[in-house]
């Protein structure tokens, strides 16, 4: 087709408007499912980190932000008939091997670690990325430990936790996020 | 009928986008840490390729030739954005794994290249077949590369353990292994092609 | 100040755009046969990446986010980059013909260089501010230029060696790139500050 200024502007304009309209349509249609998928992921993670705890509220509805040493994390309280029976904390650390890691940790009212779920990370495949399985493997599990009585740093730093083989930096980031989560859950429980 | 099959198979062997045309190298290297990721990326690209090929062959007569490239880019970008939203809604974990490579389909040379070289000159059906063929060729290449890297690196293919993980050579999952495995696969492919011709 | 230095070192060495992020591979393979053209490509990418990142960051901050149009990001960004490259071509031709004759041939290739769009999207995703974004874009482009220049140097030597027939051209180049990537892995994990 021959190009003239009018038909060039017109055809590009029409294509852009149609594309934008179609996109807006798809955006509206997928808005709900996207929000739902996010909420479900969060809910599944909360259930995963508080495995043996019965609760009948929706922790995501009572989420609150807690700031410890300038870092803000999200705390999800689990309650059975109004009584606090567990706390899930979505914590993070920016000094993983490849930057940010986000992990959800669960604590029971005594302060023991009940579980964790890695929400987001960019660690090296096959090394740091093993954190999802490593710290719940019975050989070097952190589950059931209490931060008040255990030294939750890697053994290289004098702590009680075995670092992931060849991924000390990722392990340290994981444990720093855990410490932050623990402090936040303590602070939250004290306010109740 | 024969012509149609020829178009379809053209993209898988004669003009395989990865091994012969060597286009779209970024996702080829970046998303093939495992066979499954490679295959998902291939299928995502194929979806965009088919849709954009069809639409572009439909509108090719209404677009003035001087602005055809920007017009094609808008069409492709729209389909990529739709794919992004749909993946985020229904396969969020896959969307998170493939990350930035999903929006980057828009600058994948294969998609714009087929629009310009094929869809803008052929009918709707042929363009659709070309999209399927090239898309399949890309998907096969990515799955193959992903499988090789996963196998050598972790002893698995599609998460099925073939040999114990500690015997794997992790470098194949990491960045250097991507380049080396792809280099060897391209060499192998051109050797096989040279023999069969 | 320290965070800017950290961004620069990370973007050039630790998280190199070619060897660690796999972006910009097409020009990396395609325009690396000669050192001079590799450096030209690097300079053109630096120029476009800086401008594109600054403009798309402002667009995201002033238009897309306030009006809830985040879903239009991909379409808007690629159009801005395409238009920017076209305009640069015209402007350079008029006001700086010397620069144009050096960079001109590479400009049309840059629209489909995924490194440019990749960086524009990355800075938004990471929530960087304008200053950080520009520093990051510049450092990433320097990392790209360095990678493609080193690679072109190797390929110039490679042209004189005898290589098995099937390995000639791209396959052997890929393997060299793999070895280079391995060398760059030595930088990984380095933290500043």
């Amino acid at each position: 087709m021959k190009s003239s200024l009018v038909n060039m502007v017109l055809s590009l304009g029409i294509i852009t408007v149609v594309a934008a309209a179609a996109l807006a349509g798809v955006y509206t249609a997928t808005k709900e499912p996207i929000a739902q998928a996010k909420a479900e992921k969060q809910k599944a993670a909360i259930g995963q980190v508080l495995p043996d705890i019965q609760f009948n509220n929706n922790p995501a509805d009572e989420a609150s932000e807690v700031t410890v040493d300038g870092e803000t994390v999200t705390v999800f309280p689990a309650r059975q008939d109004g009584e606090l029976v567990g706390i899930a904390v979505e914590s993070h650390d920016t000094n993983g091997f490849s930057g940010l890691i986000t992990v959800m940790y669960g604590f029971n009212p005594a302060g023991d670690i009940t579980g964790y779920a890695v929400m987001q990370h960019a660690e090296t495949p096959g090394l740091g990325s093993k954190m999802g399985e490593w710290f719940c493997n019975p050989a070097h599990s952190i589950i059931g430990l209490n931060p008040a009585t255990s030294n939750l740093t890697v053994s290289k730093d004098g702590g009680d936790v075995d670092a992931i083989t060849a991924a000390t930096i990722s392990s340290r980031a994981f444990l720093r996020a855990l410490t932050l989560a623990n402090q936040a859950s303590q602070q939250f429980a004290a306010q109740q | 009928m024969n012509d149609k099959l020829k178009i379809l198979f053209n993209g898988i062997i004669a003009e395989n986008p990865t091994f012969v045309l060597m286009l779209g190298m970024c996702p080829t290297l970046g998303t093939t840490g495992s066979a499954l990721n490679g295959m998902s990326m291939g299928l995502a690209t194929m979806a965009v390729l088919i849709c954009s090929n069809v639409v572009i062959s439909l509108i090719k007569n209404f677009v003035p030739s001087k602005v055809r490239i920007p017009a094609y880019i808008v069409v492709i970008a729209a389909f990529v954005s739709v794919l992004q939203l749909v993946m985020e809604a229904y396969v969020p974990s896959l969307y998170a794994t493939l990350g930035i490579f999903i929006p980057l389909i828009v600058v994948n040379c294969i998609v714009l290249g087929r629009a310009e070289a094929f869809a803008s000159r052929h009918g709707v059906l042929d363009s659709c077949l070309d999209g399927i063929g090239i898309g399949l060729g890309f998907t096969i290449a990515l799955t193959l590369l992903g499988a090789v890297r996963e196998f050598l690196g972790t002893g698995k293919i599609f998460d099925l353990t073939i040999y114990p993980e500690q015997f794997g050579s992790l470098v194949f999952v990491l960045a250097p292994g991507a380049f080396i495995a792809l280099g060897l696969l391209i060499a192998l492919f051109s050797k096989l092609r040279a023999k069969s011709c | 100040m320290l965070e800017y230095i950290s961004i620069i070192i990370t973007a050039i060495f630790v998280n190199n755009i070619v060897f660690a992020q796999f972006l910009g591979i097409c020009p990396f393979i395609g325009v690396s046969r000669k050192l001079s053209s590799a450096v030209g490509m690097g300079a053109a990418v630096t120029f476009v990446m800086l401008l594109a990142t600054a403009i798309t960051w402002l667009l995201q901050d002033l238009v897309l986010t306030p009006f809830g149009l985040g879903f239009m990001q991909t379409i808007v960004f690629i159009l801005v980059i395409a238009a920017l490259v076209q305009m640069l071509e015209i402007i350079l031709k008029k006001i700086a013909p010397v620069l144009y004759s050096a960079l001109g041939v590479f400009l049309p290739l840059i629209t489909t260089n995924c490194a440019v769009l990749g960086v524009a999207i990355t800075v938004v995703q990471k929530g960087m501010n304008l200053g950080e974004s520009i520093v990051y874009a510049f450092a990433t482009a320097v990392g790209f230029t360095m990678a493609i220049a080193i690679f072109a140097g190797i390929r110039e030597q490679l042209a004189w060696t005898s290589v098995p027939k099937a390995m000639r051209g791209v396959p052997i180049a890929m393997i060299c790139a793999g070895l280079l990537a391995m060398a760059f892995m030595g930088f990984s994990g380095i933290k500043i500050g």
Side-chain angles (χ1 to χ4, degrees), chain B residues 152-166:
Chain B
L152 293 175
T154 64
K156 299 175 190 166
I157 291 180
F158 280 109
D159 268 338
L160 281 172
T161 305
I162 314 281
Y163 64 89
E165 197 179 335
Q166 52 267 39

Side-chain angles (χ1 to χ4, degrees), chain A residues 93-102 120-125 127-129 131 169-171 173 176, chain B residues 174, chain C residues 10 14-15 20-21 126 188-191:
Chain A
D93 191 90
T94 52
N95 282 318
F97 197 75
S98 312
L100 179 73
I101 61 166
T102 309
Q120 188 197 343
H121 77 88
E123 303 300 282
T124 319
L127 295 173
S129 71
M131 68 173 85
I169 294 175
S170 303
S171 309
R176 268 196 303 270
Chain B
L174 303 177
Chain C
T10 310
V14 184
N15 213 359
Q21 298 185 50
K126 288 197 175 169
S188 60
I190 291 177
K191 288 268 146 51

